[in-house]
Amino acid sequence: ELRTTSRPIALQAVQQTLREGQALVELAIFEPFDPKALPSKRWGAPHYVAYVLKPTGAPHHVELGDAAGIDAAVKDLRAALASRSPAYASLARRLDQQVTAKLRPLLGDVKDVLLSPDGALGMVPFAALVDEQSHFLAETLRFTYLSSGRDLLRLQDAMPAREAALVLAAPDYDSVPAQTAPSSGVPGTSSP
């Protein structure tokens, strides 16, 4: 398992795990860097970016915008969900406009999205967002959440079980065993 998590990852290896109709979408936070600016102003405010990888072809990306604005929309949506507010639909639509609407052109005919969100976006139920036609995204897309695209390779390297399975079912704790032998204090053994 250590070998799987520490080996270098090749883009082609990840692509080979994807089936037709699937795409890996990695959402990440980055800080824009301007090498020409003064040293104290070289790093900009955090932004979100999305990387989309399909089974074939080059990966694509789209900048989603300022992280503070998206994080505020996530916070508002989560509060509306928790309080069962009627404002939920408009907040779900707003977050869709900021994030998933920008992804849809890159997804094309993809229906199965393997999603690795970063930051506050990790707390979003993407299937519950609302698109331009006032439909939940769950009606057109299926989301599978990953911690990273590396998970796809790790899932292929299934580790064999080292021991046989032990199944316990419906124990009767109130019954008294027919014969009881004095115990030596060590499980699985009895005194002579």
Side-chain angles (χ1 to χ4, degrees):
E1 189 172 335
L2 177 61
R3 183 176 350 111
T4 300
T5 58
S6 62
R7 71 179 175 209
I9 301 297
L11 184 67
Q12 294 78 13
V14 175
Q15 274 185 310
Q16 290 173 358
T17 67
L18 299 173
R19 296 185 317 266
E20 197 60 39
Q22 280 187 327
L24 171 64
V25 176
E26 297 248 6
L27 304 174
I29 296 176
F30 75 98
E31 293 180 7
F33 180 74
D34 182 359
K36 296 178 183 177
L38 295 171
S40 62
K41 307 250 187 213
R42 287 189 179 164
W43 294 99
H47 281 64
Y48 279 101
V49 64
Y51 300 97
V52 178
L53 182 66
K54 293 183 180 180
T56 59
H60 298 282
H61 74 281
V62 61
E63 188 174 331
L64 302 175
D66 180 56
I70 292 172
D71 290 350
V74 169
K75 182 179 176 183
D76 292 344
L77 176 66
R78 289 178 44 81
L81 283 169
S83 66
R84 299 180 184 195
S85 168
Y88 160 77
S90 64
L91 295 170
R93 177 70 198 116
R94 183 177 98 189
L95 191 56
D96 175 73
Q97 288 173 318
Q98 292 176 296
V99 179
T100 47
K102 295 176 182 178
L103 287 173
R104 280 194 283 279
L106 300 178
L107 293 175
D109 61 350
V110 166
K111 299 297 178 204
D112 192 2
V113 178
L114 305 171
L115 185 65
S116 172
D118 192 11
L121 291 174
M123 303 299 287
V124 173
F126 280 84
L129 297 183
V130 177
D131 68 12
E132 299 87 355
Q133 289 80 37
S134 299
H135 295 117
F136 290 110
L137 296 188
E139 296 177 49
T140 55
L141 297 171
R142 186 176 75 174
F143 292 95
T144 302
Y145 295 91
L146 305 169
S147 57
S148 82
R150 182 185 291 267
D151 290 348
L152 296 173
L153 296 174
R154 192 174 69 237
L155 293 172
Q156 285 190 328
D157 295 340
M159 301 298 288
R162 293 195 173 121
E163 296 180 13
L166 172 64
V167 179
L168 301 174
D172 184 2
Y173 294 107
D174 294 327
S175 69
V176 177
Q179 286 186 333
T180 58
S183 175
S184 66
V186 177
T189 64
S190 60
S191 297

